[in-house]
Amino acid sequence: MRHRVSLVSLIAAAVLFASLHARSSSPAILDQAGEKWVKAELKKLTLEEKVGQMIVSSFYSSFMSTDSAEFDVLVRAVHEYKVGGFHVFGATELAPQVLLNPAYGTVILGQPLEAASILNRLQAISDVPLLNTADFETGVGFRIAGATAFPRAMAFGAAGDEKLAYEAGRITGEESRALGVHVNFAPVVDVNNNARNPVINTRSFGEDPALVGRLASAYVKGIQSAGVMATLKHFPGHGDTDTDSHLGLPIIKQPRERLEHVELPPFKAGIAAGVGAVMTGHIEMPAFDPAPNTPTTLSQPIVTGVLRNQLGFEGLIYTDSMGMAGVTAMYSSGEAAVRAVAAGNDVVLHSPDDGAAFAAIRDAVKSGTIPEARIDASVERILRAKAAAGLHRTKTVNLESVSTIVGTRANLAVADQVSQRSITLIKDDRNQVPLTLPPAAQVLYLSVLDYPSGWRIAAPSRTFIPELKKRWPNVTAVELSDRTTPSDIELVRAMAPRFDAIVASVFVRAASASGRLDLSAPLQRLLQDLARQTGASGTPFVTTFFGNPYVAMYLPELPAMLLTYDFYDRAEASAVRAMAGEAPIGGKLPIALPGLFLVGHGLTR
């Protein structure tokens, strides 16, 4: 009973606080027809329909027949739960849940025409236009095959060019709209100032709040110029944590003054740039809300107090996925949804149970726990966003246009430029970059992985090896990981002196929900031993780091180190071009590597 009273008190305080500090409902400027549509639509919606507008369901964008059990689930979300939109994921495939050899991957890219087709079919059966969302953090190609995939945000930080950030936003917006997606959950404006951050890492532009704010603002302007709403995340800042919110509830214990000067400035910059949405994170911040075990997502002092009132944000507030352990470990789907609305969020995203979330919010309004005026305020913001996207005029997309807009050569060329300009040479003690080897040189190539599973989308070195062989045909390629036996590692150590050069690529992920972040100790020792061997013999030895750049901190003995901050084919091709002297190298560290180099370090070639 005390738990029930505390929830009622929380909601009452939120409503009172919001009424005392009322602001306009949305920054969206609508024409007369749009204003008229919003007012008429809000007036005619039933309570159930209004509650549904605050819920965003989801689907995977692989082929889905209209006559299938999977599509029936989506139809039910539209007809019974009156959802306000759908979140577009990529796709998955089944894999055996086995021990000892769990090398299978389940994540694959979705299909662009299928994503657009499913969204069109759902728009056709929804009385209110759907405002659809996606996590296209690195472009639509991050989730959808054939679309443009940009490097991760930290690569933009290394390139340091606001024009490139703007162009990436614009291209992502155009490709998103072609599929029927209207809100992109990007840019990430978390300031990554914790080298052990397992969930943000390269998703951040860097550790300088000013740089993060500048690049994020440029991205916001770019994507919104294409008619897609940008989203700042993860409020109030997920950069200074070593806990993955997919697996638990991170806590940031910094004092309020530090948070005000480091975590909040990029959000302020994005809001000043006119961003349409903000996503709250599953993070506990006692300096903003001392209530224990309270993620930001469910915190009225943070969502309403800091974001709405202190920062003056008037747009849409989305929760982060409500299926993450930062929330599910403490609350049921229904209670979490009610608490999120009470805190001040407008949209409950990706609940584990849409039906339970819908029923709980509806019942809370009927019982008087949540005033209907609170619901109306959020629904008006949502409707205004839909009108701003032109959905009151046209709900569906032209499937014939998808192939002419998505993944064009012009778009891919911009992604190539970002990738090449981000390459950062942090060390070259022997002046061996670029490599000046004769075409007949015998090259030992080591593809060094954190662990061999989960690489379904982009197998490491699948582009690096053929690109290397184009320059030096005599390449012997070996893959190593935490599953490589001691005898195999010893074999590599013994055979290394026979080669004219050694090239290593280190692939370490900071992957959501993996709980891993490092290269295994035996592989670190191997690389250190090769550094000593080649130092004595004068053999060229160059290492490129893909993904987590902080791994370089644990291998200071390596003579030449390049950082890409990324994975996939584009990053691998860019690294080979840089290593071969076919492209200039000018990237600068957007983060510090404690014990090695400061922010802004980077050699030029």
Side-chain angles (χ1 to χ4, degrees):
M1 186 63 185
R2 283 199 305 270
H3 192 61
R4 168 72 173 173
V5 171
S6 65
L7 179 56
V8 173
S9 300
L10 171 67
I11 295 168
V15 174
L16 176 61
F17 197 59
S19 66
L20 291 174
H21 300 270
R23 299 175 184 267
S24 59
S25 60
S26 170
I29 299 174
L30 306 178
D31 59 18
Q32 187 175 3
E35 292 284 1
K36 183 178 179 180
W37 179 82
V38 170
K39 292 178 182 177
E41 203 70 19
L42 183 61
K43 185 176 180 180
K44 76 178 185 181
L45 292 179
T46 65
L47 171 61
E48 286 74 15
E49 289 169 331
K50 287 188 284 190
V51 169
Q53 288 297 299
M54 300 176 70
I55 296 173
V56 169
S57 192
S58 64
F59 64 82
Y60 291 108
S61 48
S62 50
F63 177 75
M64 188 183 301
S65 172
T66 302
D67 183 19
S68 66
E70 293 83 0
F71 195 72
D72 286 347
V73 172
L74 305 185
V75 172
R76 184 182 182 192
V78 173
H79 286 165
E80 292 188 27
Y81 309 141
K82 321 293 185 182
V83 297
F86 284 87
H87 184 76
V88 179
F89 283 110
T92 62
E93 61 184 9
L94 293 175
Q97 300 298 309
V98 293
L99 299 175
L100 299 183
N101 189 36
Y104 303 96
T106 61
V107 177
I108 59 176
L109 296 175
Q111 294 299 314
L113 286 169
E114 194 52 38
S117 170
I118 293 171
L119 289 174
N120 272 359
R121 283 178 274 163
L122 294 172
Q123 290 281 22
I125 64 171
S126 179
D127 292 333
V128 182
L130 300 167
L131 187 71
N132 301 312
T133 68
D135 275 315
F136 294 152
E137 283 186 18
T138 68
V140 177
F142 187 53
R143 302 290 185 190
I144 304 296
T148 305
F150 290 94
R152 282 159 172 76
M154 195 169 284
F156 283 87
D161 191 332
E162 293 169 44
K163 292 180 181 178
L164 290 178
Y166 179 94
E167 281 298 291
R170 180 188 61 79
I171 291 167
T172 300
E174 291 176 354
E175 295 191 2
S176 297
R177 282 305 297 250
L179 302 185
V181 171
H182 317 105
V183 182
N184 185 22
F185 292 144
V188 172
V189 294
D190 303 314
V191 178
N192 200 85
N193 45 27
N194 188 323
R196 299 299 299 170
N197 193 321
V199 65
I200 302 302
N201 202 279
T202 55
R203 295 167 68 193
S204 165
F205 289 113
E207 71 172 61
D208 176 11
L211 174 68
V212 174
R214 287 197 304 272
L215 294 175
S217 296
Y219 181 93
V220 166
K221 293 174 182 177
I223 195 168
Q224 294 191 168
S225 75
V228 169
M229 184 179 289
T231 310
L232 307 177
K233 66 182 187 184
H234 306 79
F235 188 81
H238 208 317
D240 191 11
T241 175
D242 56 8
T243 299
D244 184 346
S245 52
H246 294 82
L247 303 175
L249 179 61
I251 180 169
I252 297 177
K253 297 181 179 180
Q254 298 290 352
R256 183 165 187 140
E257 182 180 8
R258 211 303 293 269
L259 299 176
E260 297 272 5
H261 285 87
V262 176
E263 273 71 22
L264 293 189
F267 287 97
K268 293 177 181 178
I271 292 170
V275 73
V278 170
M279 174 180 282
T280 54
H282 304 316
I283 320 152
E284 184 178 352
M285 283 193 174
F288 285 143
D289 185 353
N293 298 316
T294 302
T296 289
T297 327
L298 311 183
S299 169
Q300 181 272 333
I302 298 178
V303 179
T304 299
V306 179
L307 181 53
R308 279 278 184 236
N309 294 287
Q310 180 183 332
L311 301 190
F313 180 64
E314 299 172 344
L316 280 180
I317 302 178
Y318 284 82
T319 70
D320 202 346
S321 168
M322 297 296 276
M324 294 163 63
V327 169
T328 60
M330 295 181 288
Y331 301 106
S332 67
S333 297
E335 184 174 6
V338 171
R339 286 180 170 269
V341 172
N345 294 278
D346 298 306
V347 184
V348 176
L349 176 69
H350 193 221
S351 170
D353 189 333
D354 291 330
F358 171 81
I361 299 171
R362 178 202 60 202
D363 293 347
V365 176
K366 286 185 174 181
S367 68
T369 304
I370 295 180
E372 191 164 354
R374 166 69 191 86
I375 303 298
D376 288 345
S378 286
V379 174
E380 183 177 350
R381 291 189 192 98
I382 294 165
L383 293 176
R384 292 184 68 86
K386 293 183 177 186
L391 296 176
H392 61 305
R393 294 189 298 268
T394 305
K395 297 195 297 183
T396 58
V397 298
N398 182 354
L399 296 182
E400 294 297 324
S401 298
V402 172
S403 58
T404 65
I405 296 174
V406 175
T408 65
R409 279 176 287 192
N411 292 356
L412 297 175
V414 176
D416 288 340
Q417 186 180 5
V418 178
S419 179
Q420 202 67 64
R421 288 183 56 184
S422 71
I423 301 295
T424 308
L425 179 62
I426 59 172
K427 190 179 180 187
D428 187 17
D429 289 350
R430 304 173 193 169
N431 199 30
Q432 294 175 337
V433 178
L435 283 173
T436 55
L437 301 171
Q442 299 287 327
V443 178
L444 174 62
Y445 176 68
L446 304 178
S447 185
V448 187
L449 281 56
D450 47 8
Y451 50 99
S453 61
W455 290 103
R456 180 65 177 81
I457 292 177
S461 299
R462 71 180 183 187
T463 294
F464 201 110
I465 293 170
E467 288 294 319
L468 201 61
K469 286 184 175 181
K470 286 180 184 178
R471 282 81 174 175
W472 299 285
N474 299 315
V475 173
T476 299
V478 178
E479 182 176 280
L480 304 165
S481 74
D482 64 344
R483 299 183 68 80
T484 303
T485 65
S487 59
D488 285 344
I489 291 176
E490 186 55 41
L491 175 63
V492 171
R493 185 181 284 107
M495 65 189 283
R498 304 176 187 176
F499 291 86
D500 299 315
I502 301 174
V503 175
S505 290
V506 175
F507 297 84
V508 176
R509 291 161 286 187
S512 298
S514 73
R516 307 182 67 171
L517 196 62
D518 297 299
L519 194 65
S520 69
L523 297 182
Q524 291 185 42
R525 286 194 294 272
L526 172 64
L527 293 173
Q528 291 161 347
D529 290 345
L530 294 178
R532 285 189 287 270
Q533 284 183 16
T534 57
S537 65
T539 303
F541 179 27
V542 180
T543 303
T544 303
F545 290 85
F546 294 90
N548 182 11
Y550 296 102
V551 177
M553 294 162 45
Y554 304 102
L555 294 164
E557 301 89 348
L558 298 185
M561 295 190 282
L562 290 158
L563 304 182
T564 69
Y565 316 95
D566 199 21
F567 299 105
Y568 306 128
D569 307 284
R570 177 168 287 105
E572 294 185 14
S574 296
V576 175
R577 284 195 295 269
M579 188 181 302
E582 298 167 6
I585 301 174
K588 303 298 179 183
L589 275 174
I591 54 169
L593 298 178
L596 285 182
F597 305 109
L598 300 176
V599 173
H601 171 76
L603 306 175
T604 57
R605 293 288 184 271

